[in-house]
């Protein structure tokens, strides 16, 4: 094998290895905090928001999740989860709020509280789903500050990025949904479906996480075997030419 071919082979292996490392970091990051996977983001539409409940506070199991609704929402309908009891907390508004249909309300649902019937094992994940009507506010990001209580300790996922701040730099970011316009939603439909599939995988149980890691490891292993086959092929050709 000449030096040029060797450099190309090693470069391809290094690039693939770096990509694999980034994918591993992404999988770890996706499972590290409370996140939202919306089935829709279009303004003025009904959406199902799936909250992924990650590992507990260090090694302590999760006992309660308190989801604060943004002021733009007046209500949310929680989906029953057999592992949790659920409660809607009502807030009295300082003054009546007029809705888009012309009616007025004096109260709104401010919090959804899920309480675990048994502490959620810190090595497992769960998913809690809310049905909401998104506001007619394309381009706006809705934040859902969420308090995660554990058998020992708690984590308050309530940090909201300031203007120009990278959300990924936050240690405990609040789950969020970016409301889109109808045109943007239609144009990005296929991409959103792809992202939703990836996010849904990140909020499943340890079995799905294990399958994700196994697939990634298998891909890296396949890369190694492919590299070995390449070297053997080059060596065989060199022998024949002699």
């Amino acid at each position: 094998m000449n030096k040029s071919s060797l450099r190309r082979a090693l470069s391809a292996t290094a690039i693939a290895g770096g990509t694999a490392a980034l994918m591993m970091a992404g999988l770890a990051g996706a499972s590290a905090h409370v996140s939202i996977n919306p089935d829709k983001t279009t303004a003025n539409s009904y959406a199902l928001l799936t909250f992924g409940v990650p590992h507990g506070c260090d090694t302590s199991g999760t006992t309660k999740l308190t989801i604060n609704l943004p002021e733009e929402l007046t209500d949310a309908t929680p989906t029953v989860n057999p592992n949790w009891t659920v409660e809607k907390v009502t807030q009295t508004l300082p003054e009546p709020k007029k809705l888009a249909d012309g009616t007025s309300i004096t109260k709104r649902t401010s919090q959804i509280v899920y309480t675990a019937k048994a502490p959620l094992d810190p090595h497992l994940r769960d998913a809690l789903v809310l049905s909401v009507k998104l506001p007619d506010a394309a381009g706006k990001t809705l934040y859902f500050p969420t308090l995660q209580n554990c058998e020992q300790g708690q984590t308050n996922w309530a940090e909201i990025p300031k203007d120009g701040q990278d959300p990924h730099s936050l240690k405990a970011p609040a789950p969020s949904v970016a409301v889109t316009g109808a045109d943007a939603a239609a144009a990005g439909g296929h991409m959103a479906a792809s992202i939703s599939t990836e996010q849904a995988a990140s909020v499943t149980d340890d079995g799905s996480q294990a399958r994700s890691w196994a697939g990634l490891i298998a891909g890296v292993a396949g890369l190694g075997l492919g590299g070995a086959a390449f070297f053997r092929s080059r060596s065989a050709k060199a022998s024949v030419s002699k």
Side-chain angles (χ1 to χ4, degrees):
M1 176 186 295
N2 58 41
K3 292 183 179 180
S4 178
S5 297
L6 177 60
R7 281 196 298 269
R8 286 197 298 270
L10 292 177
S11 176
T13 302
I15 291 172
T19 301
L22 290 174
M23 289 173 65
M24 289 181 180
L27 283 173
S31 64
H33 57 268
V34 174
S35 59
I36 296 180
N37 172 36
D39 71 333
K40 294 180 183 178
T41 58
T42 311
N44 208 35
S45 68
Y46 286 92
L48 293 177
L49 309 181
T50 300
F51 289 74
V53 186
H55 57 72
C57 312
D58 294 326
T59 58
S60 182
T62 300
T63 57
K64 181 186 293 186
L65 206 73
T66 302
I67 302 170
N68 291 279
L69 302 184
E71 294 182 357
E72 291 81 1
L73 300 184
T74 58
D75 195 14
T77 302
T79 300
V80 174
N81 184 311
N83 300 318
W84 307 71
T85 60
V86 61
E87 174 190 5
K88 296 172 67 170
V89 178
T90 301
Q91 169 193 25
T92 299
L93 300 175
E95 57 183 34
K97 179 178 180 179
K98 190 172 183 179
L99 302 181
D101 61 4
T103 61
S104 296
I105 58 173
T106 57
K107 295 181 179 181
R108 66 179 285 267
T109 300
S110 60
Q111 294 180 330
I112 303 294
V113 181
Y114 278 95
T115 303
K117 295 180 180 178
L120 176 64
D121 189 309
H123 299 99
L124 301 178
R125 294 172 61 82
D126 207 341
L128 305 175
V129 183
L130 301 182
S131 172
V132 304
K133 183 177 182 180
L134 298 175
D136 189 9
K140 186 174 184 60
T141 298
L142 306 179
Y143 293 95
F144 296 74
T146 301
L147 178 63
Q148 181 183 13
N149 289 98
C150 301
E151 291 180 288
Q152 295 182 354
Q154 63 182 28
T155 301
N156 191 17
W157 305 98
E159 292 183 302
I160 297 175
K162 298 177 181 179
D163 290 342
Q165 183 179 14
D166 181 2
H168 298 292
S169 67
L170 302 177
K171 293 183 178 179
S176 63
V177 174
V179 182
T180 59
D183 294 340
H190 295 296
M191 182 178 291
S194 174
I195 294 173
S196 296
T197 300
E198 294 173 3
Q199 291 180 329
S202 75
V203 299
T204 54
D205 61 14
D206 272 6
S208 294
Q209 288 282 10
R211 287 191 292 273
S212 296
W213 284 103
L216 182 58
I217 292 170
V220 174
L223 176 64
L225 291 175
F230 175 80
F231 282 114
R232 286 197 299 271
S233 174
R234 297 294 301 182
S235 296
K237 290 181 179 179
S239 298
V240 170
S241 64
K242 290 180 181 179

